[in-house]
Amino acid sequence: LKKKWGALASTQVVKDDELLDLLRMSGCSYLLLGFESMNNRALTGIHKGFNRMENYPEVIEKLHSRNITVQGCFIFGFDEDDRHVFSSCLDTINELKIDIPRYALFTPYPGTPAYRRLKQDGRLLHEQWEYYDTQHVVLDPLLMSPQELDSGFKWVWKNTFRVLPSLRRSAAGRTRAPVTFVGNLAYKLYIYRLFTDTDRF
């Protein structure tokens, strides 16, 4: 049909080579994958133990070999995260050549086990639901302060989407370059909104 399309998937998608070939043949040009963390303990804690950091290179390679752009999602603020997690995550993203990274803050939604645990431990900063949008700090992390979590979050956004790293990610994809460049540009525009938001807590 000569259609180009994209979708959400888990990292498990790469376990089926026949499916991957069908994705490519049908015109799949990008997939959004929830990698979530580079820390296997954190992944187990959110019931995504099927994600394993040591498998991420294979995930990227199998999709890139079929010219499928990878938008990789990562979350900060897990109990295992300290203030070094931001630079470590960015280094790995650049090493793996994840085309379009996307970041969120760990957000315990009401009714979930995470919410009940953090509320019981007195680690929720407030319950103003409009800030429970994955882009505002709403909890007190274990291994850093809320301010360090917010500063690191803004730092990783800013440094990920500087012009040179964005161009490198785009150029690495060759045939994926247009999709990758537009995706990186869109998030670069988002950074302005993030840094002008003065009500972060």
Side-chain angles (χ1 to χ4, degrees):
L1 297 176
K2 299 181 180 178
K3 299 291 185 182
K4 295 293 183 183
W5 61 277
L8 285 70
S10 82
T11 58
Q12 298 291 85
V13 71
V14 302
K15 290 190 172 184
D16 189 333
D17 287 330
E18 182 183 6
L19 173 60
L20 290 178
D21 290 339
L22 289 170
L23 287 172
R24 176 184 54 80
M25 292 167 62
S26 68
C28 179
S29 58
Y30 72 89
L31 288 177
L32 184 151
L33 303 179
F35 294 97
E36 318 307 8
S37 177
M38 302 296 184
N39 186 306
N40 287 336
R41 286 181 58 201
L43 291 166
T44 300
I46 59 169
H47 307 292
K48 291 197 75 169
F50 56 82
N51 275 7
R52 306 292 295 178
M53 181 187 170
E54 56 269 25
N55 296 335
Y56 290 171
E58 179 188 15
V59 173
I60 302 300
E61 191 279 328
K62 282 195 169 186
L63 294 173
H64 279 178
S65 68
R66 293 167 173 84
N67 291 323
I68 296 175
T69 295
V70 178
Q71 181 172 20
C73 298
F74 297 89
I75 299 171
F76 299 109
F78 294 119
D79 287 351
E80 294 77 12
D81 290 347
D82 60 24
R83 59 191 177 85
H84 301 292
V85 69
F86 308 102
S87 58
S88 176
C89 183
L90 181 54
D91 287 345
T92 305
I93 284 170
N94 288 334
E95 181 182 337
L96 294 176
K97 295 181 173 59
I98 293 176
D99 302 286
I100 309 170
R102 174 179 169 181
Y103 304 118
L105 290 163
F106 184 61
T107 304
Y109 292 113
T112 63
Y115 172 82
R116 290 191 290 271
R117 175 175 62 85
L118 290 167
K119 186 174 178 65
Q120 182 177 349
D121 293 347
R123 290 174 55 199
L124 296 179
L125 299 181
H126 56 73
E127 294 181 302
Q128 299 178 50
W129 308 127
E130 65 269 25
Y131 294 101
Y132 280 60
D133 60 356
T134 77
Q135 297 298 300
H136 290 81
V137 177
V138 297
L139 57 84
D140 187 9
L142 270 186
L143 302 179
M144 56 182 141
S145 68
Q147 291 76 17
E148 286 175 319
L149 176 57
D150 187 57
S151 295
F153 184 64
K154 291 189 289 188
W155 178 91
V156 76
W157 270 109
K158 181 179 179 180
N159 284 275
T160 298
F161 294 100
R162 288 184 294 119
V163 173
L164 189 55
S166 296
L167 286 174
R168 283 175 178 164
R169 280 192 298 273
S170 300
R174 297 187 186 92
T175 58
R176 303 186 311 275
V179 174
T180 301
F181 182 73
V182 170
N184 279 271
L185 178 61
Y187 280 124
K188 187 171 180 61
L189 296 174
Y190 168 74
I191 292 170
Y192 174 78
R193 199 176 101 193
L194 182 66
F195 275 80
T196 54
D197 179 8
T198 56
D199 196 9
R200 297 295 302 155
F201 300 94

